């Protein structure tokens, strides 16, 4: 089950990156992602090479990304990357383990029946026009601590125009104030839940999980039997674990010192 599931998740992730302007290139022994506007998305992943070739390959790809983007790349390692000694090789090349993210999987029925926020004062809407998108981006920047809203406007404006990604906003009915964001990617027979975040002023009221449950229901309307998300910390992993998601893959994020 998991190899097929992870293959569809990988394809979905690549489509999500491409939807807002990342260039994803598949090479014989690795894949690279390039985006000059967002340094943390310049990276190397899906590495599969003989041990003796790993160090020179990493050096070559690091220099290529520096040349193309002007940024130092991240290397994303999971248990399917080869050789197994890649962490040691990266350490010798001046990289350090910066963080770990967690790919989590559920079936829509696992999530959509869980308790949600008080919907008498709260509703979720799909973003349908540029004005609503600007408001969505404002909440996204607040939720994720993003200072440069201009870049985010360019990034998500491109994805919105391509119509490859559905945007959703959770709105307080009394004030029409958006307070939580979410996205749904539905290619490759799987639903990817992205950008679930709440304005810090309105956290701990159930809005983020209500958005998660709503996206799970939306995924089931596309006749998708599987959904996934990526938790960026152990705290986020524990949060989503409470609502039916389970970890299926850890990804180490290595950065140059």
């Amino acid at each position: 089950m998991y190899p097929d599931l992870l293959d569809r998740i990988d394809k979905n992730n690549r489509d999500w990156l491409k939807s807002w302007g990342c260039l994803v290139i598949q090479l014989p022994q690795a894949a690279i992602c390039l985006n000059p506007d967002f340094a943390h998305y310049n990276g190397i992943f899906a590495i599969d090479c003989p041990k003796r070739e790993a160090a020179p390959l990493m050096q070559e790809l690091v220099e290529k990304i520096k040349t193309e983007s002007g940024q130092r790349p991240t290397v994303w390692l999971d248990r399917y990357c080869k050789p197994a000694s890649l962490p040691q090789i990266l350490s010798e090349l001046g990289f350090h383990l910066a963080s770990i993210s967690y790919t989590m999987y559920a079936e829509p029925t696992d999530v959509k029946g869980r308790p949600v926020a008080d919907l008498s004062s709260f509703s979720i809407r799909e973003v349908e026009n540029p004005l609503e998108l600007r408001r969505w981006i404002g909440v996204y920047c607040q939720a994720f601590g993003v200072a440069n809203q201009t870049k985010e406007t360019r990034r998500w404006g491109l994805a919105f125009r391509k119509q490859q990604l559905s945007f959703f906003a959770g709105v307080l009915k009394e004030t029409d104030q958006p307070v939580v964001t979410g996205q749904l990617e539905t290619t490759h027979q799987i639903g990817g839940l992205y950008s679930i975040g709440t304005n810090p002023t309105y956290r701990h009221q159930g809005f983020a999980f209500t958005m998660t449950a709503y996206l799970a229901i939306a995924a089931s309307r596309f006749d998708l039997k599987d959904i996934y998300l990526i938790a960026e910390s152990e705290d986020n992993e524990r949060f989503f674990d409470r609502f039916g998601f389970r970890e299926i893959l850890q990804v180490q994020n290595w950065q140059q010192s």
Side-chain angles (χ1 to χ4, degrees), residues 112-124:
K112 65 183 182 182
R114 305 286 174 130
V116 296
D118 178 10
L119 296 183
S120 64
S121 61
F122 177 77
S123 65
I124 295 178

Side-chain angles (χ1 to χ4, degrees), residues 27 96 120 130 146-147 151 157 161 172 177 188 193 195 203 209 214 237 253:
L27 302 171
H96 67 278
S120 64
V146 177
K151 281 188 177 182
R161 289 191 297 274
L172 297 177
Q177 171 68 35
H188 308 292
L193 281 55
S195 302
R203 286 177 181 164
F209 179 66
Y214 185 93
E237 182 193 24
N253 306 301

Side-chain angles (χ1 to χ4, degrees), residues 50-106:
K51 182 177 180 179
R52 66 181 181 278
E53 298 177 16
L57 175 67
M58 290 296 99
Q59 289 175 318
E60 177 186 349
L61 294 180
V62 165
E63 290 306 314
K64 179 177 179 61
I65 291 176
K66 283 182 179 178
T67 300
E68 295 291 338
S69 70
Q71 306 286 349
R72 292 181 176 182
T74 296
V75 179
W76 299 302
L77 296 184
D78 59 45
R79 66 173 178 264
Y80 296 100
C81 290
K82 298 177 183 177
S85 57
L86 275 169
Q88 178 182 346
I89 292 169
L90 289 173
S91 294
E92 292 170 354
L93 293 175
F95 282 79
H96 67 278
L97 178 59
S99 62
I100 299 175
S101 60
Y102 307 87
T103 301
M104 305 185 72
Y105 155 84

Side-chain angles (χ1 to χ4, degrees), residues 119-213:
L119 296 183
S120 64
S121 61
F122 177 77
S123 65
I124 295 178
R125 309 171 187 167
E126 185 168 1
V127 173
E128 296 182 340
N129 59 60
L131 176 59
E132 291 179 354
L133 180 64
R134 283 198 294 272
R135 298 180 72 198
W136 184 97
I137 292 169
V139 177
Y140 173 91
C141 290
Q142 292 170 332
F144 292 95
V146 177
N148 192 332
Q149 189 164 328
T150 300
K151 281 188 177 182
E152 297 300 330
T153 299
R154 186 164 62 247
R155 170 192 191 185
W156 297 127
L158 177 62
F160 185 76
R161 289 191 297 274
K162 286 186 174 181
Q163 298 183 333
Q164 293 178 302
L165 189 63
S166 299
F167 294 73
F168 296 87
V171 179
L172 297 177
K173 291 180 180 178
E174 183 176 350
T175 61
D176 199 40
Q177 171 68 35
V179 296
V180 61
T181 61
Q183 296 171 328
L184 179 63
E185 168 75 57
T186 57
T187 53
H188 308 292
Q189 292 78 53
I190 191 167
L193 281 55
Y194 292 98
S195 302
I196 299 171
T198 306
N199 179 325
T201 303
Y202 297 94
R203 286 177 181 164
H204 310 298
Q205 298 182 49
F207 295 136
F209 179 66
T210 302
M211 176 62 76
T212 305

